[in-house]
Amino acid sequence: MTTEINNSSLDRTVEYSKQASRATAKRLFRFFIRRLILLIITIVIGVYVTIIIANMGGYVDTILKATIREEVNMMVTEMHAKTPMADNVRKSMVEREVAIRERLAGLDQPFIRRSFTHLKNALTLNFGRARFMVSDHGSRFVRNIILERLPATLLLMGTSQLLLFAVSLFLALVLSRHYGSFWDKIVVALSPTSSIPPWFYGIFFILFFAAGLKILPFGGMVDAPPPPTKLGYFLSVLRHMILPALSLFISSLMISIYSWRTFFLIYSSEDYVDTAKAKGLSPRAIERRYILRPTLPNIITSFALMLVGIWTGATLTETVFLWPGLGTTIFEAVNRYDTAVIVGTTIIQAYLLGITVFLLDFLYAIVDPRVKLGGGK
Amino acid sequence: MKQLKDSFRDIARYPSAIVGMIIVLTLIFFSFYTIWKIPYDEAIKMWRASESVVYKNPKNARPTWVNLFRKDKLPVSVDVVAGEDDVFTKESKPRSSGGNLIKFVYTFDFDYNEFPQDIFVYFTSNYQAKNPFVSINLLTPSGENIKITDTGISKNQNFRFEQDEDLRTRLKRLHRGNQPDTTMQGIFTKLGSDPFEVDKGTYELTIQATTFEEGSDVNAELIIHGKVFGFFGTDHLRRDLKVAMMWGAPIALAFGLTAALGTAFITMFISAIGTWFGGWFDELIQRITEVNMVLPYFSILIMVGTFYSRSIWTLLLVTIILNIFSASIKSQRAIFLQVKESTYIEAAIAYGASDVRIVTRYMIPRVIPMIIPGLVSAVPSYVFLEASLALLGLGDPSIPTWGKVINDARTFGAHYQGMYYWILQPAVFLMITGLGFALLGFALDRIFNPRLRGM
């Protein structure tokens, strides 16, 4: 008799929790759709602002015009190869065709209308042709140049940031347990060193490990010539990645340990932590459920801000280490005055930032009980 | 006044704050000293490196302090004008047939294992029709007398040892089988030694000048381009790095402080007004902040630097504009929302204070102490931002900064050629500046933020 009652009540509980989780999933889904739409609007506006800034001196117009002219030239040259024609005929043909295509591209429109044309091009990653730079596969399309460089940046950033996140979270927890210890004081004392950007550490690392000790390469991503085997290639990339990843890692390490440790300390002085201690819960359980859990949204927010900030440092770090990513691309483009590549890279970075913000929002929503329970905003 | 005293006492409790404060104050003092010592126009002229300014400087010379750490000392640079110093004497005797016989003697010790880059003598003379004639001889410690040159000179004549082909041929002949690579090596090694053995000891350089007219005179300036020069060394364009090292300080401070102050205060005003009036204005600020988060601000700065202007002040302005709507506007908004609910604001409304009065007299003063730590901590990021732009080659072309020196050093291969001083000096300056402000900012944060007290 008693078992029956128990069973049915158990069923009911299971049923309730199923309903609850379904409702949670629905709410999460709705939250994401809303965030996604907002974010897309944000990115569109961000890209538009970038376009406006770039085109204030008519630079984007010039890129588009140059691209059109080159296409027409190629077309006419091809025609000329098949059926030869007189020089003046060819020239006038080019001019006519260029004029038609420019009108088609909306280049005769007023500034505002034109900026929307550029916006459309930018959103579809249609950045035109580079003037001087060529992708490793020989393409002159800015899109190809950028997409070819993107994996290198993502590899470097991903590795260093995940490492940073994991290590500093772990160390911060350990330190908050040993508040006031020697190592805790060391971290507090060293946290101002994070005001020094990663490329700066990079310069010192190069001086020390590459120029001085000669044990690690000065820069680049693989040995030249690249090792033939897959394993050899992997190891070579790893060896080249040590210094740049270390610079990115070291430059943010102290500040992130410091700020998270401080968060943990603030939260561990809350009354409910004392209650948990009084209940006799193990320190690990207290840490996990009562300290880490409520600070997670804060941690993610600060991580998001750090990530956004680190993109700046990454450009220079790549340049210093000649890491063939987006940062080095923009550096080369500046030196060779390749406007199309500069604008293209800037827009890609706006995308990357937008995606970063969205992913972190996603994480935030998962760990933030307010979103889960449907209360608040 | 008492409040000020209290906060100073608070600061004094943190050793890191004291260190930071000392660094910041020293930097400010150093900046003013620089502006007074090398006025801006002069610094720009020295940095533009025209031949008339930098001829006395050797190329890529290390700073003199490296000799303190070396067992094997590097030859120092010398610049002496005849007659002004005891080591370079000038004696003039009238000749019976009119004109003068002038004898210059320069004695110097040489006990280095490396050779100077070059030696030159700058002659200045006055005459009507007939050029004076000079002959230069060098007496080495082992007693050899090397004839350097016999030549007639014009009113401004420059004799460079390394560029004289006759001297080189003569030295090759004197050294017999073993051919010296440079004239300096030929001069400062024992004649005929194989392998080359440095001839250490006292050298005596004698210049005999003969003039052929009444009242005609010759003067000489001797310049030795050593391997070390000045306290900071020189770069690839023979520029004295002292100019950039010293002027780097006021520029970094001006850039960092203006950017930090400008951003912080504009942000504060905007968020104060936004929270006070609320509604669509507040909403607008929030949306702008979100868009601004997505803007790749460093790339935009690069774009502005490449397309429009490399002037440091334009970039400063753009930096401030792009940083106004940063994450700090959100945290300030949270503080202002709390302040807005305080009873004293209610009292202000009750007595009929205007919006402007409430925002400027009641809300903003409450928040200023809270933004100061952030402001101070933000200075290093702007100082390094200027260096970052310079590293990309977007530094202001006319102004010497630390970042530009690092950029030059990297471009001209300081890493590979072991010219570490070129990178390390500006790097250390940047680091000290960054750390000074960061130390102070961290300490202020703990003082002004009660939740962090004692943590």
Side-chain angles (χ1 to χ4, degrees):
Chain A
M1 197 57 191
T2 36
T3 43
E4 252 174 56
I5 292 170
N6 271 353
N7 269 344
S8 69
S9 76
L10 199 68
D11 281 351
R12 227 176 291 143
T13 327
V14 171
E15 190 58 31
Y16 276 141
S17 69
K18 261 188 189 164
Q19 267 177 11
S21 67
R22 217 175 293 140
T24 308
K26 215 169 159 189
R27 238 180 336 252
L28 271 177
F29 182 70
R30 221 179 291 138
F31 174 83
F32 288 134
I33 293 297
R34 220 185 63 218
R35 286 302 302 168
L36 190 63
I37 293 171
L38 266 181
L39 198 83
I40 289 172
I41 297 172
T42 315
I43 290 181
V44 170
I45 298 175
V47 171
Y48 188 64
V49 171
T50 315
I51 288 283
I52 293 278
I53 296 172
N55 203 22
M56 261 178 334
Y59 289 96
V60 185
D61 293 343
T62 324
I63 295 168
L64 193 56
K65 275 183 191 158
T67 310
I68 288 173
R69 188 162 285 274
E70 193 162 326
E71 274 170 14
V72 170
N73 270 334
M74 268 160 69
M75 189 188 78
V76 174
T77 315
E78 214 170 277
M79 281 163 73
H80 175 71
K82 281 181 192 148
T83 45
M85 36 189 162
D87 265 5
N88 58 341
V89 176
R90 217 166 74 186
K91 250 180 216 155
S92 71
M93 193 171 184
V94 168
E95 290 309 319
R96 213 170 49 234
E97 190 63 27
V98 166
I100 292 171
R101 289 199 183 196
E102 278 184 0
R103 216 171 55 233
L104 210 61
L107 280 171
D108 57 342
Q109 304 281 333
F111 183 78
I112 294 294
R113 290 278 289 278
R114 247 175 13 219
S115 65
F116 282 109
T117 315
H118 296 317
L119 176 64
K120 200 188 92 207
N121 282 342
L123 287 176
T124 51
L125 303 187
N126 217 337
F127 304 129
R129 275 163 196 273
R131 262 208 304 192
F132 310 107
M133 289 172 71
V134 182
S135 82
D136 293 344
H137 288 102
S139 170
R140 290 277 294 275
F141 283 106
V142 174
R143 179 180 23 190
N144 294 351
I145 295 175
I146 290 174
L147 290 182
E148 200 179 73
R149 299 298 191 87
L150 194 56
T153 295
L154 293 182
L155 175 69
L156 180 62
M157 289 296 287
T159 316
S160 56
Q161 295 318 302
L162 284 180
L163 203 65
L164 177 68
F165 187 74
V167 171
S168 49
L169 197 59
F170 174 73
L171 290 180
L173 264 180
V174 173
L175 285 184
S176 72
R177 232 178 279 148
H178 303 281
Y179 165 63
S181 68
F182 172 72
W183 289 108
D184 188 43
K185 282 183 181 145
I186 287 281
V187 167
V188 173
L190 285 183
S191 49
T193 56
S194 290
S195 67
I196 297 165
W199 60 266
F200 205 78
Y201 285 97
I203 285 179
F204 281 97
F205 287 159
I206 290 176
L207 276 181
F208 191 72
F209 291 105
L213 297 178
K214 299 191 170 54
I215 47 172
L216 285 168
F218 276 93
M221 194 165 147
V222 283
D223 288 328
T229 59
K230 275 218 164 96
L231 182 70
Y233 194 88
F234 173 74
L235 288 178
S236 171
V237 171
L238 205 63
R239 225 167 76 83
H240 283 78
M241 203 164 71
I242 294 175
L243 287 186
L246 193 67
S247 325
L248 287 165
F249 175 74
I250 291 281
S251 92
S252 307
L253 182 66
M254 287 303 164
I255 185 74
S256 56
I257 298 180
Y258 171 78
S259 59
W260 293 353
R261 152 208 172 273
T262 312
F263 260 136
F264 293 148
L265 285 176
I266 290 172
Y267 275 81
S268 55
S269 58
E270 295 280 354
D271 292 340
Y272 55 75
V273 178
D274 289 338
T275 315
K277 274 183 198 152
K279 278 203 292 187
L281 289 179
S282 75
R284 302 262 156 190
I286 294 174
E287 221 161 63
R288 221 174 39 241
R289 275 187 249 155
Y290 295 92
I291 300 176
L292 200 52
R293 198 67 184 76
T295 38
L296 224 44
N298 287 325
I299 288 175
I300 286 174
T301 314
S302 72
F303 189 64
L305 289 176
M306 198 181 69
L307 265 187
V308 170
I310 212 115
W311 282 109
T312 314
T315 307
L316 263 300
T317 313
E318 284 185 6
T319 309
V320 166
F321 285 101
L322 304 173
W323 185 262
L326 283 183
T328 315
T329 311
I330 209 167
F331 172 71
E332 281 170 25
V334 167
N335 278 347
R336 301 169 77 171
Y337 205 73
D338 210 326
T339 44
V341 180
I342 299 178
V343 175
T345 321
T346 310
I347 289 165
I348 277 284
Q349 286 193 340
Y351 265 111
L352 285 176
L353 279 177
I355 293 166
T356 316
V357 171
F358 178 71
L359 284 181
L360 288 162
D361 257 2
F362 193 89
L363 267 178
Y364 192 94
I366 290 175
V367 299
D368 193 347
R370 279 168 300 180
V371 178
K372 222 169 170 181
L373 298 174
K377 204 175 149 188
Chain B
M1 198 59 213
K2 190 176 172 298
Q3 220 177 351
L4 206 67
K5 239 185 197 163
D6 281 350
S7 39
F8 267 109
R9 198 174 308 136
D10 275 339
I11 291 171
R13 275 188 22 231
Y14 291 87
S16 64
I18 297 172
V19 175
M21 192 86 123
I22 290 173
I23 293 176
V24 171
L25 288 178
T26 314
L27 273 170
I28 292 173
F29 176 76
F30 182 65
S31 303
F32 280 112
Y33 172 75
T34 303
I35 297 171
W36 169 75
K37 180 88 182 164
I38 314 173
Y40 182 75
D41 294 335
E42 200 180 316
I44 301 292
K45 214 167 77 194
M46 283 165 86
W47 197 242
R48 218 172 270 149
S50 61
E51 192 55 33
S52 65
V53 182
V54 296
Y55 73 93
K56 287 178 184 171
N57 307 353
K59 203 171 170 179
N60 281 333
R62 280 148 182 70
T64 37
W65 53 260
V66 298
N67 267 346
L68 295 177
F69 304 101
R70 289 177 72 106
K71 234 171 90 188
D72 189 13
K73 307 282 184 224
L74 292 171
V76 292
S77 300
V78 173
D79 172 15
V80 277
V81 176
E84 282 184 7
D85 206 323
D86 284 347
V87 289
F88 195 19
T89 56
K90 178 182 177 182
E91 265 175 61
S92 193
K93 261 187 291 182
R95 264 153 39 94
S96 50
S97 55
N100 295 307
L101 193 66
I102 308 157
K103 190 180 176 191
F104 301 95
V105 179
Y106 178 65
T107 19
F108 61 101
D109 286 326
F110 187 86
D111 49 357
Y112 306 106
N113 285 321
E114 297 206 31
F115 312 108
Q117 294 179 4
D118 200 351
I119 298 179
F120 354 169
V121 187
Y122 272 84
F123 292 105
T124 45
S125 59
N126 58 324
Y127 57 88
Q128 302 297 319
K130 189 142 174 40
N131 304 16
F133 183 86
V134 296
S135 62
I136 307 176
N137 285 285
L138 183 72
L139 184 67
T140 67
S142 46
E144 310 268 0
N145 194 5
I146 303 174
K147 184 178 123 195
I148 304 291
T149 193
D150 286 329
T151 176
I153 54 167
S154 58
K155 281 186 175 148
N156 285 298
Q157 179 91 33
N158 161 17
F159 179 77
R160 300 179 75 146
F161 283 31
E162 280 291 350
Q163 278 179 355
D164 196 65
E165 280 306 318
D166 292 342
L167 176 60
R168 180 164 301 186
T169 328
R170 201 174 310 123
L171 282 168
K172 278 183 182 167
R173 212 171 50 234
L174 286 170
H175 269 280
R176 291 180 286 276
N178 199 9
Q179 302 288 303
D181 298 328
T182 60
T183 304
M184 287 301 121
Q185 193 183 23
I187 287 177
F188 290 107
T189 50
K190 285 184 179 148
L191 293 182
S193 60
D194 188 14
F196 288 113
E197 193 190 326
V198 183
D199 202 2
K200 291 182 182 174
T202 308
Y203 285 78
E204 193 179 274
L205 187 79
T206 318
I207 305 169
Q208 289 270 14
T210 320
T211 61
F212 304 99
E213 291 166 1
E214 209 58 54
S216 171
D217 193 19
V218 175
N219 213 347
E221 179 179 9
L222 181 89
I223 291 160
I224 300 179
H225 280 180
K227 290 239 163 93
V228 295
F229 177 89
F231 192 74
F232 294 107
T234 59
D235 66 3
H236 61 299
L237 294 174
R238 302 176 184 279
R239 291 180 296 199
D240 190 348
L241 286 178
K242 180 180 82 186
V243 182
M245 291 304 112
M246 289 179 76
W247 262 94
I251 290 167
L253 284 190
F255 192 89
L257 285 175
T258 318
L261 278 171
T263 314
F265 279 97
I266 297 173
T267 304
M268 187 181 70
F269 268 101
I270 289 178
S271 60
I273 295 168
T275 31
W276 178 244
F277 290 105
W280 66 268
F281 188 67
D282 193 29
E283 198 63 25
L284 182 71
I285 293 171
Q286 301 269 65
R287 294 292 89 79
I288 293 177
T289 311
E290 266 159 38
V291 171
N292 203 43
M293 280 263 287
V294 195
L295 285 185
Y297 115 90
F298 189 61
S299 301
I300 289 182
L301 270 183
I302 290 176
M303 221 158 65
V304 172
T306 330
F307 294 168
Y308 304 113
S309 159
R310 287 191 183 184
S311 151
I312 198 169
W313 308 120
T314 311
L315 291 175
L316 177 65
L317 190 72
V318 177
T319 308
I320 292 177
I321 292 172
L322 287 173
N323 273 302
I324 290 172
F325 294 98
S326 63
S328 65
I329 216 165
K330 293 208 168 188
S331 54
Q332 286 191 19
R333 186 170 167 270
I335 303 170
F336 275 124
L337 280 175
Q338 268 182 3
V339 173
K340 197 180 161 185
E341 301 301 321
S342 332
T343 41
Y344 76 95
I345 298 279
E346 223 170 286
I349 300 171
Y351 85 70
S354 67
D355 290 338
V356 178
R357 191 178 167 83
I358 290 176
V359 170
T360 55
R361 289 295 183 81
Y362 297 109
M363 287 176 68
I364 286 176
R366 268 296 293 276
V367 175
I368 284 178
M370 296 185 202
I371 69 162
I372 285 177
L375 190 159
V376 176
S377 309
V379 173
S381 64
Y382 294 115
V383 170
F384 279 108
L385 178 74
E386 192 277 321
S388 306
L389 286 170
L391 199 71
L392 283 176
L394 293 175
D396 194 314
S398 61
I399 297 177
T401 66
W402 295 327
K404 270 175 70 180
V405 175
I406 296 183
N407 181 38
D408 284 344
R410 277 178 42 78
T411 316
F412 294 96
H415 281 114
Y416 310 110
Q417 297 171 32
M419 295 182 285
Y420 301 140
Y421 71 96
W422 202 357
I423 295 185
L424 284 178
Q425 289 180 145
V428 166
F429 269 109
L430 274 170
M431 216 161 70
I432 291 175
T433 311
L435 281 182
F437 280 100
L439 282 170
L440 190 61
F442 264 74
L444 288 176
D445 197 21
R446 296 158 108 217
I447 292 162
F448 285 124
N449 198 340
R451 283 190 96 178
L452 294 176
R453 252 177 207 268
M455 279 192 185

